[in-house]
Amino acid sequence: MSSVQSALRLGVDVGGTNTKCSSDAVLLDLSESSRRGQVLASAKHPTTADVTLGIQNAIQSVLTHVAQTKSNIQAVCIGTTHFVNALVERDPRRLDRVAVIRLCGPFTHGTPPFVGFPHELRDLLEGPHFLLSGGLQIDGSEIASINAAQVEDACGEIKRQGIHAVVVSSVFAPIDFEIQQEERVAAIVRKHIPGMDVVCSKDVAAIGLLERENASILNAALLRYAKKTVIGFEKATQALELKCPVFITSNDGTLLSCAQAARLPIRTFSSGPTNSMRGAAFLASLESGISKQSALVVDIGGTTTDIGMLLPSGFPRQAAAHHEFCGVLLNFSMPHVTSIGLGGGSIIREDQITKKVTVGPDSVGHRITSESLAFGGSTLTATDVVVAAGCISNIGDRSLVSEVSQSIIEGARSAIKKMLQNYLDVMKTSSQDIPVYLVGGGSILAPDVLAGISQVHRFPHFDVANAVGAAIAQISGIVDSFEDTSTTPIAQVRANVEAKAISRAIASGADPHRVAIVESDVIPIAYTTGRCRFYVKAAGDWSGVASPTSTEIDDPLCVEASTVPRPQSVTSAATAVAPAMHTASDILEYEPRIEGREWFLSEIDLEWIADGCYVLGCGGGGSPLHTFLELRELVRSGETLRVIDFSFLPSNAMIGWGGGMGSPEVSSERLLGNEYQEASAELWSFMGIPKPEALCGLEIGGANGMINMILGSTKHSDIPCVDGDFMGRAYPTWHQTTANVYDISGKGVKMLPSVVSSGDGNIVVMTKAKRDVDVDALLRAACVEMGTHVGLASCPLSADYVDIAMIKNTVSLSWRIGRAIALARKQSSLSRIGSILVDAVGGSKSAKVLFMGKITDVKRRLYKGHTIGEIVITALALDDDVDEDPDHPMECFIGKLTIPFKNENLYAEHATDDGRTTMVATVPDLIAVLDAQNGAALGTPQYKYGLRVLVLGITAAPQWTETERGIALGGPSGFGFTHIPYKPLGKYTQPRSVIEEYARNG
């Protein structure tokens, strides 16, 4: 009988802070036998300052416990914090300046590379950047072809500055499979600067230009250090006489060869939580009676608890498209993890007056064995409570905690249970009970029964699940592309894309017999038909042989990383960085700059206005983030942005208006160019008029709330924006404006002529319409043919007409909302954010908190270019709310609130527990859903199960509510809800003008 050869895998995972770390290691048997999955040995190595040495010591500790020969070890798989720590510490010895070549044609110039970086990281990493000919449209056609001479000129400047790393990023690069603009430019760079490290953005992340480019910059900054580090890993294993290959685990639970990790170190970020979840799934699979299922993984350490959702595939649920790291917005694959301040070292306190017991968030951390009571210290910790309760007998000395009162024990355990239940519920995707897998040394804190949890599991070796996850990491293949579905069924296109993903996984070294699709999404594209975005991931066990050389980089490990001195940083052109608002006092003392009747916007003003605009978007309008970044860059470079009091304008003044129209999928990748400026200039020329005396916002809600500030800046037209807009919120269509409310012709006369510009040479003029609704419909059809995003300028209006139609002081309103949110965060008063915002927008007569609770159901679909659906919010018992403030009791709510939406929220209907329903608000009144944890506005794409939210209602302006036509256009009947009458939420209060308030001090 032939014996099955052992296939052993060494898994190592490094955890800890940026200066201290500990390493866990396991030796796992993955041979095809009854022993498959057996943990042969494990070790937890104590805290060290040298991460590489810690890894080596952990491996050595495991090897001393087993008799098997080292030749049976198939691979060493390492999860490491090396690269994350280099960025967290802002260590110039481990980070390089980065040059960026962006292929964008006429687009994106207002938001250059590094625009969203915190200033200290920008100063450290920013090299020269070049915005060159190139880029693609959403349909795969070229915005412009590559200009090799431009690239060669850029190479000369990069070489002159002594830069060692270059990022090449192209608009819509992730769908560029045929033209390959990034690859062609990278080849030119390598030819002209031999030895240069070049990163193509499409290799790093997916759709979302700025976020993908940011991730590529961080990756490029780490390349030289990454080479040195992985060489160290290989040398460490060689010193232990291990002949097997070394792999690094990535943040999606798959393996990178050392060469791949040296090329893409950013893919190791957050691999620790991923390893814990993958390890938990593997340990669960070894237990009888547990099938593949969704489960929550709770990893409790010494200071924090990480909670993630495990999918039936055994891989973690991925985070939202965008997430932040070191203050930089990114969009590469990361596990969706919530961290809370609960760990074995969490400090326990009892309020001497209320006797309320609190847990953390501060902790003794790794000092628990010297500072915790159970170990002879003087600090009461969560571990002490568990020891005192008699839940464990092998940790600490129970006699040392014998004087801890029963009330403290019960109060602390109740607080721990409540913390876990609340955050577990947030991470769930439905109300159905699901199991919890506990891992990590601190999991002794968790109770055996939790609300909403079907069963709590602690599997053998749960304390080294992270190292198990590293050991069993797989090989993946990913396809993220836009495909034509006009002639082929979506199911067939998906099957083709999935086959491509499987082929990629096999080509990278996955076992062909063990590859499976672990993620497959089809995402419709707004305002388009016949095209969808497909995101597919295939993964399988490593085949046991090295991946083909085609997946490796050009021999990056053949020499030691060089020790060339770091080039001297150059001062960015954007030097006028505003002082930070560190405290509530800073916010309260801040005064905007008012001269006469003009408001000169600062960086701080812009930040608050952007936050307010998103709230006023009522779920729609798109995020103002990219518009804000462009405006902030203008201010930092010395340009002027002005807002003017409407009363300052003469009655015969002409006021221009308009904004952006199109798909969010396009505007997140093909960032603004000059399309709105071009549309406006073309319109003014067509009408034979000089530039208008002022500009007015189409809508204050969302990104369009700030776009006229770009056009009006001294860089472009030098025209002030009036403090007002034509919606007072966001609406999904162009005819739903107060400028159209007062046009009784019904033919859009006040909107026409209108001009749309693609920004790259195509302009359409519309002069007449049969009906006002046709203006939006026809211009959107043109918009699709022009790249699915355009700038739209409508006929300038006289000041006399604007005086009637415009909703006044809405820029001031957005500023006040943003300021109130900032102040609540600094004052730690988010539990009162509802009442704070009500006060900011005019008081309880005009606004109110409609509801507070948890999103328990979300439905959405795409229909004729608009996202439609509904959310259901369920009230929480007061003691379920982790932010309860005893000094300011919150209003209690019962029942459920349902909010349907069409891009924006349409109405709010309350249902009591016994089924009685009440309509509490409808359009045109504003219904905004805010994240109750941080006060931020939520757009409809961000609605998801479990979020704690607050619903704010604001009475609409009389331009909507006091005319029959206003109600017809903007009320429930305007969205097809003819059976729902409009009932005002309250009495409208005109927002107070910032100019009026601060002019006397100006």
Side-chain angles (χ1 to χ4, degrees):
M1 183 183 294
S2 61
S3 61
V4 178
Q5 184 178 5
S6 295
L8 309 183
R9 197 84 67 86
L10 254 171
V12 185
D13 190 82
V14 179
T17 67
N18 45 335
T19 57
K20 299 284 187 178
C21 77
S22 58
S23 300
D24 296 341
V26 299
L27 186 63
L28 200 62
D29 191 336
L30 294 178
S31 57
E32 297 296 332
S33 69
S34 58
R35 295 174 56 187
R36 179 176 173 80
Q38 182 177 346
V39 176
L40 304 179
S42 64
K44 296 181 74 69
H45 209 273
T47 298
T48 67
D50 185 333
V51 182
T52 303
L53 180 60
I55 291 172
Q56 187 171 337
N57 290 341
I59 294 174
Q60 184 63 60
S61 297
V62 166
L63 294 178
T64 58
H65 287 87
V66 293
Q68 279 90 347
T69 62
K70 295 178 180 178
S71 60
N72 286 337
I73 297 177
Q74 189 184 51
V76 176
C77 306
I78 301 171
T80 180
T81 58
H82 276 76
F83 310 124
V84 167
N85 292 348
L87 281 164
V88 170
E89 295 172 22
R90 310 286 202 268
D91 187 349
R93 298 167 301 173
R94 295 182 282 175
L95 300 170
D96 280 324
R97 284 176 59 222
V98 179
V100 180
I101 297 175
R102 184 191 288 174
L103 309 175
C104 55
F107 300 105
T108 83
H109 288 226
T111 44
F114 299 95
V115 67
F117 276 58
H119 65 86
E120 75 282 357
L121 196 57
R122 186 171 183 173
D123 288 344
L124 188 64
L125 302 184
E126 185 174 16
H129 44 79
F130 310 88
L131 308 181
L132 307 184
S133 177
L136 270 63
Q137 302 281 14
I138 192 172
D139 63 0
S141 62
E142 286 187 310
I143 294 172
S145 300
I146 292 171
N147 184 321
Q150 288 183 347
V151 179
E152 291 166 3
D153 288 344
C155 288
E157 180 60 21
I158 291 168
K159 188 173 182 180
R160 188 190 69 79
Q161 292 199 28
I163 301 294
H164 300 286
V166 175
V167 165
V168 180
S169 64
S170 171
V171 174
F172 279 115
I175 67 170
D176 182 9
F177 303 112
E178 297 178 2
I179 304 171
Q180 297 189 323
Q181 287 192 350
E182 286 190 350
E183 292 89 338
R184 289 163 57 196
V185 170
I188 295 173
V189 173
R190 291 190 180 103
K191 177 182 177 181
H192 284 78
I193 318 176
M196 175 64 67
D197 285 323
V198 184
V199 175
C200 292
S201 77
K202 67 193 295 184
D203 295 333
V204 177
I207 298 296
L209 175 70
L210 212 56
E211 295 78 16
R212 181 175 72 253
E213 186 177 78
N214 290 347
S216 301
I217 289 168
L218 296 184
N219 188 78
L222 286 162
L223 286 178
R224 286 203 295 163
Y225 174 61
K227 293 177 188 178
K228 181 179 179 180
T229 300
V230 296
I231 288 170
F233 288 166
E234 291 190 321
K235 287 187 173 180
T237 57
Q238 291 167 6
L240 294 170
E241 299 180 345
L242 293 171
K243 307 299 184 183
C244 58
V246 177
F247 290 97
I248 315 297
T249 62
S250 72
N251 42 36
D252 67 354
T254 58
L255 292 171
L256 301 170
S257 68
C258 280
Q260 290 169 329
R263 182 168 64 93
L264 293 168
I266 198 167
R267 287 189 59 189
T268 69
F269 289 14
S270 201
S271 62
T274 300
N275 288 339
S276 291
M277 285 188 269
R278 292 278 294 138
F282 183 80
L283 295 174
S285 71
L286 302 179
E287 299 292 306
S288 61
I290 296 182
S291 60
K292 289 186 176 181
Q293 58 187 332
S294 292
L296 289 161
V297 177
V298 180
D299 186 354
I300 307 179
T303 300
T304 60
T305 293
D306 291 335
I307 302 172
M309 172 64 82
L310 194 64
L311 301 175
S313 64
F315 283 84
R317 183 176 69 199
Q318 294 301 290
H322 298 160
H323 43 271
E324 229 179 61
F325 177 77
C326 287
V328 180
L329 201 60
L330 309 171
N331 70 338
F332 65 92
S333 180
M334 291 272 277
H336 181 202
V337 175
T338 291
S339 296
I340 59 175
L342 171 65
S346 294
I347 298 174
I348 307 296
R349 295 182 178 87
E350 182 183 44
D351 188 285
Q352 294 304 308
I353 299 175
T354 65
K355 299 301 179 182
K356 181 178 180 179
V357 179
T358 57
V359 180
D362 50 343
S363 169
V364 299
H366 66 274
R367 303 185 306 276
I368 189 169
T369 54
S370 60
E371 296 190 14
S372 184
L373 292 181
F375 293 96
S378 58
T379 304
L380 178 62
T381 68
T383 297
D384 295 327
V385 168
V386 179
V387 172
C391 299
I392 50 176
S393 59
N394 61 342
I395 294 179
D397 184 344
R398 189 177 181 186
S399 66
L400 297 177
V401 292
S402 59
E403 295 186 5
V404 178
S405 70
Q406 191 64 28
S407 64
I408 290 180
I409 294 173
E410 292 175 358
R413 297 191 72 192
S414 175
I416 290 170
K417 184 174 184 177
K418 185 194 299 184
M419 290 172 70
L420 288 173
Q421 287 178 166
N422 283 337
Y423 283 94
L424 287 169
D425 197 52
V426 168
M427 292 297 291
K428 290 167 64 177
T429 56
S430 75
S431 58
Q432 182 180 354
D433 289 358
I434 60 174
V436 156
Y437 301 160
L438 291 174
V439 299
S443 60
I444 55 173
L445 303 183
D448 293 328
V449 178
L450 291 163
I453 300 303
S454 59
Q455 189 172 353
V456 176
H457 296 276
R458 291 181 182 85
F459 303 118
H461 306 290
F462 68 88
D463 57 334
V464 289
N466 52 348
V468 171
I472 57 97
Q474 296 182 319
I475 301 291
S476 71
I478 297 174
V479 177
D480 185 355
S481 64
F482 289 85
E483 302 290 340
D484 185 352
T485 57
S486 60
T487 58
T488 307
I490 289 178
Q492 182 59 54
V493 177
R494 178 189 286 213
N496 296 341
V497 176
E498 289 177 349
K500 188 183 298 184
I502 289 173
S503 297
R504 288 188 180 183
I506 294 171
S508 295
D511 183 342
H513 304 292
R514 289 184 172 273
V515 178
I517 298 297
V518 297
E519 197 170 345
S520 182
D521 292 322
V522 181
I523 307 159
I525 307 303
Y527 309 119
T528 65
T529 57
R531 288 186 71 79
C532 289
R533 178 181 173 189
F534 290 81
Y535 180 87
V536 177
K537 180 196 290 184
D541 292 342
W542 179 48
S543 61
V545 296
S547 55
T549 55
S550 61
T551 66
E552 309 291 357
I553 60 175
D554 297 331
D555 200 18
L557 308 181
C558 60
V559 295
E560 289 279 2
S562 65
T563 56
V564 178
R566 192 175 190 277
Q568 181 67 35
S569 178
V570 295
T571 303
S572 169
T575 57
V577 179
M581 297 282 103
H582 293 296
T583 67
S585 295
D586 293 335
I587 295 172
L588 293 169
E589 292 170 4
Y590 173 77
E591 292 191 0
R593 177 188 164 197
I594 310 295
E595 296 182 6
R597 304 299 290 177
E598 287 188 315
W599 175 10
F600 292 79
L601 298 178
S602 71
E603 183 177 324
I604 294 166
D605 296 328
L606 291 171
E607 183 176 346
W608 293 349
I609 291 169
D611 284 344
C613 284
Y614 209 15
V615 172
L616 295 173
C618 300
S623 169
L625 175 64
H626 292 152
T627 311
F628 159 71
L629 290 175
E630 181 166 348
L631 288 164
R632 187 178 70 177
E633 199 73 358
L634 287 172
V635 170
R636 287 181 173 181
S637 61
E639 303 294 345
T640 299
L641 316 173
R642 296 177 291 150
V643 173
I644 193 170
D645 190 291
F646 178 77
S647 64
F648 195 63
L649 292 172
S651 61
N652 63 348
M654 297 301 292
I655 299 171
W657 63 294
M661 169 187 277
S663 166
E665 285 83 0
V666 173
S667 57
S668 69
E669 177 70 30
R670 200 196 74 187
L671 307 182
L672 287 176
N674 289 324
E675 53 265 50
Y676 181 42
Q677 292 89 301
E678 290 177 2
S680 298
E682 184 72 19
L683 175 65
W684 304 337
S685 174
F686 176 80
M687 296 181 68
I689 62 173
K691 68 180 183 181
E693 283 84 353
L695 300 170
C696 181
L698 160 73
E699 56 187 339
I700 193 64
N704 270 336
M706 304 180 79
I707 194 170
N708 279 280
M709 297 173 185
I710 298 174
L711 173 60
S713 70
T714 51
K715 179 179 179 180
H716 296 291
S717 302
D718 193 16
I719 304 172
C721 296
V722 294
D723 191 356
D725 76 298
F726 290 120
M727 288 188 187
R729 47 169 300 141
Y731 271 120
T733 58
W734 206 265
H735 60 271
Q736 290 176 304
T737 65
T738 53
N740 189 39
V741 166
Y742 290 90
D743 175 9
I744 61 174
S745 72
K747 297 182 178 181
V749 171
K750 294 298 182 182
M751 293 188 283
L752 299 173
S754 284
V755 173
V756 291
S757 169
S758 65
D760 63 349
N762 293 318
I763 290 178
V764 172
V765 181
M766 183 174 183
T767 60
K768 187 179 291 187
K770 183 177 180 181
R771 302 172 302 164
D772 55 6
V773 295
D774 294 333
V775 177
D776 181 85
L778 294 172
L779 291 178
R780 280 191 195 277
C783 170
V784 171
E785 295 301 318
M786 296 167 72
T788 324
H789 192 276
V790 295
L792 195 167
S794 286
C795 177
L797 302 171
S798 70
D800 285 342
Y801 187 80
V802 172
D803 191 25
I804 299 170
M806 186 184 75
I807 302 172
K808 296 182 176 66
N809 299 342
T810 52
V811 177
S812 291
L813 177 61
S814 64
W815 183 89
R816 294 186 188 282
I817 291 172
R819 179 178 182 270
I821 294 172
L823 191 59
R825 290 169 179 166
K826 294 299 182 184
Q827 291 177 329
S828 300
S829 54
L830 285 170
S831 61
R832 297 191 296 115
I833 187 65
S835 60
I836 291 171
L837 286 174
V838 167
D839 290 341
V841 301
S844 58
K845 291 184 178 181
S846 61
K848 64 186 296 185
V849 176
L850 301 177
F851 204 72
M852 289 186 69
K854 178 188 73 174
I855 296 178
T856 53
D857 193 21
V858 183
K859 298 183 178 74
R860 61 166 64 89
R861 62 190 177 94
L862 200 67
Y863 178 71
K864 292 186 177 180
H866 300 287
T867 301
I868 64 174
E870 70 174 27
I871 56 170
V872 177
I873 306 168
T874 302
L876 296 172
L878 189 59
D879 62 355
D880 283 340
D881 195 312
V882 296
D883 287 330
E884 180 185 352
D885 183 348
D887 295 327
H888 300 88
M890 288 184 292
E891 184 178 355
C892 294
F893 294 92
I894 60 171
K896 297 182 178 181
L897 192 75
T898 299
I899 303 177
F901 54 83
K902 178 185 177 182
N903 287 13
E904 289 78 30
N905 304 316
L906 300 180
Y907 66 78
E909 185 176 45
H910 179 258
T912 59
D913 293 334
D914 60 6
R916 289 178 290 118
T917 60
T918 305
M919 192 67 63
V920 296
T922 72
V923 287
D925 288 343
L926 286 69
I927 303 167
V929 180
L930 281 68
D931 187 330
Q933 307 295 319
N934 60 22
L938 295 173
T940 54
Q942 296 167 300
Y943 295 163
K944 63 181 180 180
Y945 176 91
L947 278 180
R948 263 62 171 176
V949 296
L950 174 148
V951 183
L952 179 69
I954 305 173
T955 306
Q959 282 88 343
W960 288 114
T961 62
E962 293 185 358
T963 67
E964 184 177 336
R965 181 167 167 79
I967 296 298
L969 285 172
S973 60
F975 294 90
F977 300 110
T978 55
H979 62 290
I980 300 176
Y982 168 68
K983 181 180 178 181
L985 177 70
K987 184 177 181 180
Y988 177 72
T989 301
Q990 180 170 299
R992 186 180 182 188
S993 163
V994 167
I995 296 172
E996 177 185 304
E997 178 178 356
Y998 291 97
R1000 63 182 181 274
N1001 300 323

